[in-house]
Amino acid sequence: MGSAADFPKIDFTSNFQNIINNALSSTPETRQAVDPSTEELLYHVPLSKQADVDKAVSVAKAAFPAWKALSYDERAGYLGRYADAIEANVSGLQELLMKEAGKPVSNAAGELQFAIAHVRETAKLRIEDDLIEDTEERRATVRYLPMGVGVGIIPWNYPVLLGLGKLGPAVLTGNTFIWKPSPFSPYTALKLGEIAAQIFPPGVVQVLSGDESLGPLFTAHPGVAKISFTGSSATGKKVMQACASTLKRLTLELGGNDASIIYDDVDVAQVVQKIGPMAFMHSGQICMDIKRLYVHEKIYDEFLAAFVQVVKSFKVGGGGDPEAFLGPVQNRMQFEKVKDLYSEIGKQKWQVATGGEPVACDGKKGFFLPPTIIDNPPDDSRIVVEEPFGPIMPVLKWSDEDEVVRRANNTNMGLGASVWSNDIEKAERLARRLEAGSTWVNSHFELSPYVPFGGHKWSGVGMDWGIVGLKGWCNTQASWVRKKF
């Protein structure tokens, strides 16, 4: 592991440029994102166009043959040094992440810590050939070969972890990688690209920033072999449609409306302390946050009262606040969407357990909303049917197992779901009936670089991370060897 002195110092307050062929690359036009805690404009970043995309793809294609020819161990060595270089610059990255994402200190630090560990642990994975048949006459093997140029289209909510979570598997398996960050959070990605340029051979890792028009330039480009997209289901459908014209391989990790089912045998005081952060982490702006909480009717009142007290204890504060747990909504577009959902409280006469519709304050800056719990709304309410992606959620009663399974599965989404009970066998039995890419018992939102995650139904196609995720960056090849003519 290298020390901080082994890596050149990166400036995290200026000179935000694309990284193409390991060089800083500017564009004639620039744009600025906004600090969601203050609504102040941040630094200028490139506004990439077709020529920039063409150049980056061309460079990535040229770098691919030599990169894929390296062994897994050699490529893993580059990833290990990259993780060391990121860690050497973690302080500057954390300050930048708090500004662009509005993350309180604990959230920003946690994202970076997990992201660095993810790169290191991913580097330990290996895809082995599958020996299917080996007789005196013939041998049949399944191999997994790199595809070529991969593009990661990254969302604004976890710009570091979700970007590095695609970069690591892509380059480890022998692909070259282009990182396209969200227009709302481009800054950490550009600096991570600058760090990568010190580590990887030219063309292996590149980063291009732009506006909403940049993603379609990549999905339409004939030189791109694979798109890995994380974002909303609506945009995921557009990505899938765009990739069809060139039959690109793709992975889609999309929205969720995760259900959590609480049995009546739990220790209420203990469970609410765990569920509170898993429901409101990053102000509800995580696809795997708990979005619908089903509590058995026998403990409903006790549970709701205790849950409200936990949520009331969460301090709301801006990016960099060392005491805050909840930050702002990350951008104005999402802020307005979530505010519209809050406006349903009065219109639909929902019962509010805590929080409520935001009160306008003249002169107050930042995209902040009060953490809000809706008490047992109808199942056809927007707060139940839609993914809020903000700090508001419903708590609902249930009494019958078959009924609560039906209600939990009654959604187009299928990302994650959890069951909480002291009876592990009973909880596991119920969890197997839930239609989701990940299920948990007595936990939620538990992740590992070794375990794939992705969604069923409208929550995605394919999976990221782990061996399954690595294979998603590979073309499968059946290899036959005839030993006797």
Side-chain angles (χ1 to χ4, degrees), residues 187 279 314 340 368 371 395 412:
Y187 299 101
F314 294 152
D340 182 64
F368 294 98
V395 181
N412 288 325

Side-chain angles (χ1 to χ4, degrees), residues 11-17 43 191 194:
D11 179 6
F12 290 96
T13 61
S14 65
N15 202 25
F16 291 87
Q17 298 189 46
Y43 315 102
K191 290 304 177 180
E194 197 173 330

Side-chain angles (χ1 to χ4, degrees), residues 347-364:
K347 296 175 187 176
Q348 303 300 326
K349 296 182 172 55
W350 293 339
Q351 296 298 311
V352 177
T354 189
E357 295 187 55
V359 178
C361 295
D362 292 338
K364 183 177 181 181

